[in-house]
Amino acid sequence: MVRHRNGYETLGKIQMKYILATFLIVCSSVSAENYTLGNLTIKDAFAYPTNGKSGAGYFVIQNQGPEDTLIKVVGDYPRVMVHESIMENGVMSMKHRMKVKVPAGEAFEFKPGAHHVMFMGLIDDWNVDDEIAVTLKFETAGSLDIKFVVIPRP
């Protein structure tokens, strides 16, 4: 512990330590397994705990090859769909997306407030450290099984 002339750490340093510790915990829990299918790598697949009938999953698709398209997400849940959150006339809404193009040589991020995998009709809550299994189906690369790891909300 660093002490100042008055014998106490400054509030800023204490806050920075907690912020850094929280950041490291979140990063370590999001640094879940990477999944590879041909030229595609799926990274940082995570979800937040639920306490209702729906949840969402997020991840990054890194494409090292030609353009591909995510055409479906399948899971053992009543309804699994790809949605995009859109702000229209000051109102946030979700639009179902049948396909998501992943540009050649680029990354496409599914994140809160944007594209996400929507799970509807959930019966059980998701809790921290649960794993949510799905299959991503791509037009060219084929199918890939992944797991979203449930992490604490920031």
Side-chain angles (χ1 to χ4, degrees):
M1 180 187 313
V2 176
R3 294 197 181 269
H4 294 278
R5 282 179 286 193
N6 63 6
Y8 298 100
E9 284 187 286
T10 62
L11 183 57
K13 285 187 178 186
I14 293 171
Q15 287 174 332
M16 187 54 89
K17 285 181 182 179
Y18 284 112
I19 290 169
L20 180 59
T22 302
F23 176 76
L24 292 173
I25 289 168
V26 170
C27 286
S28 67
S29 53
V30 174
S31 65
E33 186 175 346
N34 287 344
Y35 303 87
T36 302
L37 176 65
N39 294 316
L40 304 176
T41 301
I42 309 304
K43 305 186 302 185
D44 303 329
F46 74 96
Y48 293 126
T50 63
N51 59 359
K53 296 185 182 219
S54 64
Y58 311 99
F59 58 100
V60 176
I61 304 171
Q62 180 66 53
N63 186 356
Q64 300 294 336
E67 178 179 278
D68 205 339
T69 304
L70 177 64
I71 55 174
K72 192 169 191 174
V73 180
V74 178
D76 191 20
Y77 300 93
R79 292 183 70 198
V80 181
M81 304 168 78
V82 173
H83 282 171
E84 180 181 11
S85 297
I86 299 175
M87 182 67 76
E88 293 177 324
N89 301 319
V91 176
M92 184 67 82
S93 64
M94 286 188 288
K95 304 280 184 185
H96 175 232
R97 297 295 181 217
M98 297 294 288
K99 299 179 180 184
V100 176
K101 290 190 184 287
V102 184
E106 293 185 24
F108 191 95
E109 186 175 6
F110 285 68
K111 60 185 177 182
H115 283 82
H116 55 278
V117 176
M118 192 75 201
F119 297 85
M120 295 165 284
L122 300 179
I123 296 168
D124 297 319
D125 292 340
W126 294 348
N127 298 299
V128 171
D129 295 329
D130 285 351
E131 294 182 339
I132 312 306
V134 299
T135 301
L136 305 178
K137 296 190 177 197
F138 293 91
E139 195 168 70
T140 303
S143 297
L144 179 65
D145 295 332
I146 71 164
K147 292 179 183 173
F148 294 100
V149 176
V150 179
I151 64 169
R153 287 190 181 272

Short mmCIF file of all heavy atoms in Angstrom, two decimals, residues 75-121:
data_model
loop_
_atom_site.label_atom_id
_atom_site.label_comp_id
_atom_site.label_asym_id
_atom_site.label_seq_id
_atom_site.Cartn_x
_atom_site.Cartn_y
_atom_site.Cartn_z
N GLY A 75 -29.97 -23.71 -31.49
CA GLY A 75 -29.71 -24.11 -30.10
C GLY A 75 -30.92 -24.82 -29.54
O GLY A 75 -32.01 -24.75 -30.11
N ASP A 76 -30.74 -25.46 -28.41
CA ASP A 76 -31.81 -26.22 -27.77
C ASP A 76 -32.67 -25.30 -26.90
O ASP A 76 -32.73 -25.47 -25.67
CB ASP A 76 -31.21 -27.37 -26.95
CG ASP A 76 -32.26 -28.36 -26.48
OD1 ASP A 76 -33.36 -28.38 -27.07
OD2 ASP A 76 -32.00 -29.09 -25.51
N TYR A 77 -33.27 -24.32 -27.54
CA TYR A 77 -34.13 -23.33 -26.88
C TYR A 77 -35.34 -23.13 -27.78
O TYR A 77 -35.27 -23.36 -28.99
CB TYR A 77 -33.37 -22.01 -26.69
CG TYR A 77 -32.15 -22.20 -25.84
CD1 TYR A 77 -30.90 -22.47 -26.41
CD2 TYR A 77 -32.24 -22.18 -24.45
CE1 TYR A 77 -29.79 -22.69 -25.62
CE2 TYR A 77 -31.12 -22.40 -23.65
CZ TYR A 77 -29.91 -22.66 -24.25
OH TYR A 77 -28.81 -22.89 -23.47
N PRO A 78 -36.47 -22.68 -27.22
CA PRO A 78 -37.67 -22.52 -28.04
C PRO A 78 -37.46 -21.66 -29.29
O PRO A 78 -37.91 -22.02 -30.36
CB PRO A 78 -38.68 -21.88 -27.09
CG PRO A 78 -38.26 -22.38 -25.73
CD PRO A 78 -36.75 -22.42 -25.79
N ARG A 79 -36.78 -20.53 -29.16
CA ARG A 79 -36.52 -19.67 -30.32
C ARG A 79 -35.13 -19.08 -30.22
O ARG A 79 -34.78 -18.49 -29.20
CB ARG A 79 -37.55 -18.54 -30.42
CG ARG A 79 -38.94 -19.08 -30.74
CD ARG A 79 -39.96 -18.00 -30.90
NE ARG A 79 -39.70 -17.26 -32.13
CZ ARG A 79 -40.19 -16.07 -32.38
NH1 ARG A 79 -40.96 -15.46 -31.51
NH2 ARG A 79 -39.93 -15.46 -33.52
N VAL A 80 -34.35 -19.23 -31.28
CA VAL A 80 -33.01 -18.65 -31.36
C VAL A 80 -32.93 -17.90 -32.69
O VAL A 80 -33.16 -18.49 -33.75
CB VAL A 80 -31.91 -19.74 -31.31
CG1 VAL A 80 -30.53 -19.11 -31.38
CG2 VAL A 80 -32.06 -20.61 -30.07
N MET A 81 -32.64 -16.61 -32.61
CA MET A 81 -32.62 -15.77 -33.81
C MET A 81 -31.49 -14.76 -33.73
O MET A 81 -31.03 -14.42 -32.63
CB MET A 81 -33.94 -15.00 -33.94
CG MET A 81 -35.17 -15.86 -33.96
SD MET A 81 -36.68 -14.88 -33.76
CE MET A 81 -36.86 -14.23 -35.40
N VAL A 82 -31.07 -14.27 -34.88
CA VAL A 82 -30.12 -13.15 -34.91
C VAL A 82 -30.94 -11.88 -35.01
O VAL A 82 -31.83 -11.76 -35.85
CB VAL A 82 -29.15 -13.27 -36.10
CG1 VAL A 82 -28.29 -12.02 -36.23
CG2 VAL A 82 -28.28 -14.50 -35.94
N HIS A 83 -30.64 -10.94 -34.12
CA HIS A 83 -31.31 -9.64 -34.10
C HIS A 83 -30.29 -8.53 -34.22
O HIS A 83 -29.12 -8.72 -33.88
CB HIS A 83 -32.06 -9.43 -32.78
CG HIS A 83 -33.37 -10.14 -32.71
ND1 HIS A 83 -34.09 -10.21 -31.54
CD2 HIS A 83 -34.08 -10.83 -33.62
CE1 HIS A 83 -35.20 -10.90 -31.75
NE2 HIS A 83 -35.21 -11.28 -33.00
N GLU A 84 -30.77 -7.39 -34.67
CA GLU A 84 -29.96 -6.17 -34.67
C GLU A 84 -30.75 -5.10 -33.95
O GLU A 84 -31.92 -4.86 -34.26
CB GLU A 84 -29.65 -5.72 -36.10
CG GLU A 84 -28.81 -4.46 -36.15
CD GLU A 84 -28.52 -3.98 -37.56
OE1 GLU A 84 -29.13 -4.49 -38.52
OE2 GLU A 84 -27.68 -3.08 -37.70
N SER A 85 -30.14 -4.47 -32.97
CA SER A 85 -30.78 -3.34 -32.27
C SER A 85 -30.56 -2.09 -33.12
O SER A 85 -29.44 -1.81 -33.54
CB SER A 85 -30.16 -3.14 -30.89
OG SER A 85 -30.39 -4.27 -30.09
N ILE A 86 -31.65 -1.36 -33.35
CA ILE A 86 -31.61 -0.17 -34.19
C ILE A 86 -32.36 0.97 -33.51
O ILE A 86 -33.46 0.76 -33.00
CB ILE A 86 -32.25 -0.45 -35.58
CG1 ILE A 86 -31.48 -1.56 -36.29
CG2 ILE A 86 -32.32 0.81 -36.41
CD1 ILE A 86 -32.09 -1.99 -37.60
N MET A 87 -31.75 2.15 -33.54
CA MET A 87 -32.40 3.35 -33.02
C MET A 87 -33.13 4.04 -34.18
O MET A 87 -32.51 4.41 -35.17
CB MET A 87 -31.36 4.29 -32.41
CG MET A 87 -31.94 5.54 -31.80
SD MET A 87 -32.96 5.27 -30.34
CE MET A 87 -31.70 4.96 -29.12
N GLU A 88 -34.46 4.17 -34.06
CA GLU A 88 -35.27 4.83 -35.09
C GLU A 88 -36.18 5.84 -34.42
O GLU A 88 -36.97 5.48 -33.53
CB GLU A 88 -36.13 3.82 -35.86
CG GLU A 88 -35.32 2.86 -36.71
CD GLU A 88 -36.20 1.82 -37.39
OE1 GLU A 88 -37.20 1.37 -36.79
OE2 GLU A 88 -35.88 1.47 -38.53
N ASN A 89 -36.06 7.10 -34.83
CA ASN A 89 -36.90 8.17 -34.27
C ASN A 89 -36.86 8.19 -32.75
O ASN A 89 -37.89 8.36 -32.08
CB ASN A 89 -38.34 8.04 -34.76
CG ASN A 89 -38.44 8.10 -36.27
OD1 ASN A 89 -37.75 8.90 -36.90
ND2 ASN A 89 -39.27 7.26 -36.86
N GLY A 90 -35.67 7.99 -32.18
CA GLY A 90 -35.51 8.04 -30.74
C GLY A 90 -36.00 6.81 -30.00
O GLY A 90 -36.04 6.80 -28.76
N VAL A 91 -36.36 5.75 -30.72
CA VAL A 91 -36.86 4.53 -30.09
C VAL A 91 -35.96 3.37 -30.51
O VAL A 91 -35.75 3.14 -31.70
CB VAL A 91 -38.32 4.24 -30.50
CG1 VAL A 91 -38.79 2.92 -29.91
CG2 VAL A 91 -39.23 5.38 -30.09
N MET A 92 -35.46 2.62 -29.53
CA MET A 92 -34.64 1.44 -29.82
C MET A 92 -35.55 0.27 -30.10
O MET A 92 -36.50 0.01 -29.37
CB MET A 92 -33.73 1.13 -28.63
CG MET A 92 -32.77 -0.02 -28.88
SD MET A 92 -31.51 0.32 -30.12
CE MET A 92 -30.31 1.21 -29.13
N SER A 93 -35.27 -0.42 -31.21
CA SER A 93 -36.05 -1.61 -31.55
C SER A 93 -35.10 -2.70 -32.03
O SER A 93 -33.93 -2.44 -32.31
CB SER A 93 -37.09 -1.29 -32.63
OG SER A 93 -36.44 -0.91 -33.83
N MET A 94 -35.63 -3.92 -32.12
CA MET A 94 -34.83 -5.03 -32.61
C MET A 94 -35.44 -5.53 -33.92
O MET A 94 -36.65 -5.67 -34.03
CB MET A 94 -34.81 -6.17 -31.59
CG MET A 94 -33.94 -5.89 -30.40
SD MET A 94 -33.73 -7.32 -29.32
CE MET A 94 -35.34 -7.41 -28.58
N LYS A 95 -34.57 -5.79 -34.86
CA LYS A 95 -34.97 -6.32 -36.16
C LYS A 95 -34.36 -7.71 -36.33
O LYS A 95 -33.17 -7.90 -36.09
CB LYS A 95 -34.48 -5.43 -37.31
CG LYS A 95 -34.92 -4.00 -37.21
CD LYS A 95 -36.33 -3.83 -37.68
CE LYS A 95 -36.67 -2.34 -37.65
NZ LYS A 95 -38.00 -2.06 -37.98
N HIS A 96 -35.17 -8.66 -36.77
CA HIS A 96 -34.67 -10.00 -37.06
C HIS A 96 -33.85 -9.93 -38.33
O HIS A 96 -34.24 -9.30 -39.31
CB HIS A 96 -35.86 -10.95 -37.23
CG HIS A 96 -35.47 -12.32 -37.65
ND1 HIS A 96 -36.03 -12.93 -38.74
CD2 HIS A 96 -34.58 -13.19 -37.15
CE1 HIS A 96 -35.50 -14.14 -38.88
NE2 HIS A 96 -34.61 -14.30 -37.93
N ARG A 97 -32.70 -10.57 -38.32
CA ARG A 97 -31.83 -10.63 -39.50
C ARG A 97 -31.70 -12.08 -39.94
O ARG A 97 -31.24 -12.92 -39.17
CB ARG A 97 -30.45 -10.04 -39.19
CG ARG A 97 -30.49 -8.58 -38.82
CD ARG A 97 -30.96 -7.76 -39.99
NE ARG A 97 -30.99 -6.34 -39.65
CZ ARG A 97 -31.91 -5.52 -40.09
NH1 ARG A 97 -32.89 -5.95 -40.87
NH2 ARG A 97 -31.87 -4.24 -39.77
N MET A 98 -32.11 -12.36 -41.16
CA MET A 98 -32.03 -13.72 -41.69
C MET A 98 -30.59 -14.13 -41.96
O MET A 98 -30.25 -15.30 -41.83
CB MET A 98 -32.85 -13.83 -42.98
CG MET A 98 -34.33 -13.56 -42.79
SD MET A 98 -35.14 -14.79 -41.78
CE MET A 98 -35.16 -16.18 -42.88
N LYS A 99 -29.75 -13.16 -42.36
CA LYS A 99 -28.36 -13.42 -42.70
C LYS A 99 -27.51 -12.27 -42.22
O LYS A 99 -27.97 -11.14 -42.15
CB LYS A 99 -28.18 -13.55 -44.22
CG LYS A 99 -28.95 -14.66 -44.86
CD LYS A 99 -28.71 -14.65 -46.36
CE LYS A 99 -29.47 -15.76 -47.04
NZ LYS A 99 -29.17 -15.80 -48.48
N VAL A 100 -26.24 -12.59 -41.93
CA VAL A 100 -25.28 -11.55 -41.57
C VAL A 100 -24.01 -11.81 -42.37
O VAL A 100 -23.38 -12.86 -42.22
CB VAL A 100 -24.95 -11.57 -40.06
CG1 VAL A 100 -23.87 -10.55 -39.73
CG2 VAL A 100 -26.21 -11.29 -39.23
N LYS A 101 -23.68 -10.87 -43.25
CA LYS A 101 -22.46 -11.01 -44.06
C LYS A 101 -21.25 -10.69 -43.22
O LYS A 101 -21.23 -9.73 -42.47
CB LYS A 101 -22.51 -10.07 -45.27
CG LYS A 101 -23.53 -10.49 -46.31
CD LYS A 101 -23.37 -9.69 -47.59
CE LYS A 101 -24.45 -10.06 -48.57
NZ LYS A 101 -24.28 -11.36 -49.17
N VAL A 102 -20.22 -11.53 -43.37
CA VAL A 102 -18.94 -11.32 -42.69
C VAL A 102 -17.94 -10.98 -43.78
O VAL A 102 -17.52 -11.85 -44.54
CB VAL A 102 -18.51 -12.58 -41.91
CG1 VAL A 102 -17.23 -12.31 -41.14
CG2 VAL A 102 -19.63 -13.06 -40.98
N PRO A 103 -17.56 -9.70 -43.88
CA PRO A 103 -16.69 -9.25 -44.98
C PRO A 103 -15.35 -9.98 -45.01
O PRO A 103 -14.82 -10.39 -43.97
CB PRO A 103 -16.49 -7.76 -44.68
CG PRO A 103 -17.62 -7.38 -43.78
CD PRO A 103 -17.94 -8.61 -42.98
N ALA A 104 -14.79 -10.09 -46.20
CA ALA A 104 -13.49 -10.72 -46.40
C ALA A 104 -12.42 -9.99 -45.60
O ALA A 104 -12.36 -8.76 -45.62
CB ALA A 104 -13.13 -10.72 -47.88
N GLY A 105 -11.62 -10.75 -44.87
CA GLY A 105 -10.48 -10.19 -44.16
C GLY A 105 -10.82 -9.24 -43.03
O GLY A 105 -9.96 -8.48 -42.59
N GLU A 106 -12.05 -9.27 -42.54
CA GLU A 106 -12.46 -8.35 -41.47
C GLU A 106 -13.09 -9.10 -40.31
O GLU A 106 -13.35 -10.28 -40.39
CB GLU A 106 -13.48 -7.33 -42.01
CG GLU A 106 -12.90 -6.37 -43.03
CD GLU A 106 -13.88 -5.30 -43.46
OE1 GLU A 106 -14.81 -4.99 -42.68
OE2 GLU A 106 -13.71 -4.77 -44.57
N ALA A 107 -13.36 -8.35 -39.25
CA ALA A 107 -14.05 -8.90 -38.09
C ALA A 107 -15.46 -8.32 -38.05
O ALA A 107 -15.68 -7.18 -38.45
CB ALA A 107 -13.31 -8.55 -36.80
N PHE A 108 -16.40 -9.13 -37.57
CA PHE A 108 -17.77 -8.67 -37.38
C PHE A 108 -18.12 -8.95 -35.93
O PHE A 108 -18.01 -10.09 -35.48
CB PHE A 108 -18.74 -9.39 -38.31
CG PHE A 108 -20.10 -8.77 -38.32
CD1 PHE A 108 -20.45 -7.84 -39.28
CD2 PHE A 108 -21.04 -9.10 -37.35
CE1 PHE A 108 -21.71 -7.25 -39.28
CE2 PHE A 108 -22.29 -8.52 -37.33
CZ PHE A 108 -22.62 -7.59 -38.30
N GLU A 109 -18.54 -7.91 -35.20
CA GLU A 109 -18.79 -8.06 -33.77
C GLU A 109 -20.28 -8.05 -33.44
O GLU A 109 -21.00 -7.15 -33.84
CB GLU A 109 -18.10 -6.93 -33.00
CG GLU A 109 -18.18 -7.08 -31.51
CD GLU A 109 -17.39 -6.03 -30.76
OE1 GLU A 109 -16.84 -5.10 -31.38
OE2 GLU A 109 -17.31 -6.16 -29.52
N PHE A 110 -20.69 -9.07 -32.72
CA PHE A 110 -22.02 -9.13 -32.12
C PHE A 110 -21.84 -8.57 -30.72
O PHE A 110 -21.09 -9.14 -29.92
CB PHE A 110 -22.52 -10.57 -32.06
CG PHE A 110 -22.96 -11.13 -33.38
CD1 PHE A 110 -22.05 -11.38 -34.39
CD2 PHE A 110 -24.29 -11.43 -33.60
CE1 PHE A 110 -22.45 -11.89 -35.61
CE2 PHE A 110 -24.72 -11.95 -34.82
CZ PHE A 110 -23.79 -12.18 -35.82
N LYS A 111 -22.51 -7.44 -30.41
CA LYS A 111 -22.29 -6.78 -29.13
C LYS A 111 -23.57 -6.13 -28.64
O LYS A 111 -24.50 -5.88 -29.44
CB LYS A 111 -21.18 -5.73 -29.25
CG LYS A 111 -21.50 -4.64 -30.27
CD LYS A 111 -20.32 -3.70 -30.44
CE LYS A 111 -20.63 -2.66 -31.50
NZ LYS A 111 -19.50 -1.78 -31.73
N PRO A 112 -23.65 -5.84 -27.34
CA PRO A 112 -24.85 -5.17 -26.81
C PRO A 112 -25.13 -3.87 -27.57
O PRO A 112 -24.21 -3.13 -27.91
CB PRO A 112 -24.47 -4.87 -25.35
CG PRO A 112 -23.47 -5.94 -25.02
CD PRO A 112 -22.67 -6.14 -26.28
N GLY A 113 -26.40 -3.67 -27.91
CA GLY A 113 -26.80 -2.48 -28.65
C GLY A 113 -26.61 -2.58 -30.15
O GLY A 113 -26.82 -1.62 -30.88
N ALA A 114 -26.26 -3.76 -30.63
CA ALA A 114 -26.03 -3.97 -32.07
C ALA A 114 -26.54 -5.38 -32.42
O ALA A 114 -27.57 -5.79 -31.93
CB ALA A 114 -24.55 -3.79 -32.39
N HIS A 115 -25.80 -6.10 -33.25
CA HIS A 115 -26.18 -7.48 -33.57
C HIS A 115 -25.98 -8.37 -32.34
O HIS A 115 -25.04 -8.16 -31.57
CB HIS A 115 -25.32 -8.03 -34.72
CG HIS A 115 -25.74 -7.52 -36.06
ND1 HIS A 115 -25.34 -6.30 -36.55
CD2 HIS A 115 -26.53 -8.08 -37.00
CE1 HIS A 115 -25.86 -6.12 -37.75
NE2 HIS A 115 -26.59 -7.19 -38.05
N HIS A 116 -26.86 -9.34 -32.17
CA HIS A 116 -26.76 -10.29 -31.07
C HIS A 116 -27.59 -11.53 -31.40
O HIS A 116 -28.45 -11.48 -32.27
CB HIS A 116 -27.23 -9.68 -29.75
CG HIS A 116 -28.61 -9.12 -29.80
ND1 HIS A 116 -28.89 -7.87 -30.29
CD2 HIS A 116 -29.80 -9.64 -29.42
CE1 HIS A 116 -30.19 -7.64 -30.22
NE2 HIS A 116 -30.77 -8.72 -29.70
N VAL A 117 -27.30 -12.62 -30.72
CA VAL A 117 -28.12 -13.82 -30.84
C VAL A 117 -29.16 -13.73 -29.74
O VAL A 117 -28.82 -13.60 -28.56
CB VAL A 117 -27.28 -15.11 -30.70
CG1 VAL A 117 -28.18 -16.34 -30.74
CG2 VAL A 117 -26.22 -15.18 -31.79
N MET A 118 -30.43 -13.78 -30.11
CA MET A 118 -31.53 -13.63 -29.16
C MET A 118 -32.12 -15.00 -28.86
O MET A 118 -32.42 -15.78 -29.77
CB MET A 118 -32.61 -12.73 -29.78
CG MET A 118 -33.65 -12.27 -28.84
SD MET A 118 -32.96 -10.99 -27.80
CE MET A 118 -34.08 -11.06 -26.44
N PHE A 119 -32.25 -15.30 -27.57
CA PHE A 119 -32.84 -16.55 -27.10
C PHE A 119 -34.17 -16.19 -26.44
O PHE A 119 -34.20 -15.42 -25.49
CB PHE A 119 -31.93 -17.22 -26.06
CG PHE A 119 -30.59 -17.61 -26.60
CD1 PHE A 119 -29.55 -16.70 -26.66
CD2 PHE A 119 -30.36 -18.90 -27.05
CE1 PHE A 119 -28.30 -17.06 -27.13
CE2 PHE A 119 -29.12 -19.27 -27.54
CZ PHE A 119 -28.09 -18.35 -27.58
N MET A 120 -35.26 -16.76 -26.94
CA MET A 120 -36.59 -16.43 -26.41
C MET A 120 -37.29 -17.69 -25.91
O MET A 120 -37.05 -18.77 -26.41
CB MET A 120 -37.40 -15.73 -27.49
CG MET A 120 -36.80 -14.38 -27.88
SD MET A 120 -37.45 -13.72 -29.42
CE MET A 120 -36.58 -14.73 -30.59
N GLY A 121 -38.16 -17.50 -24.93
CA GLY A 121 -38.90 -18.60 -24.37
C GLY A 121 -38.10 -19.42 -23.37
O GLY A 121 -38.37 -20.61 -23.17
#
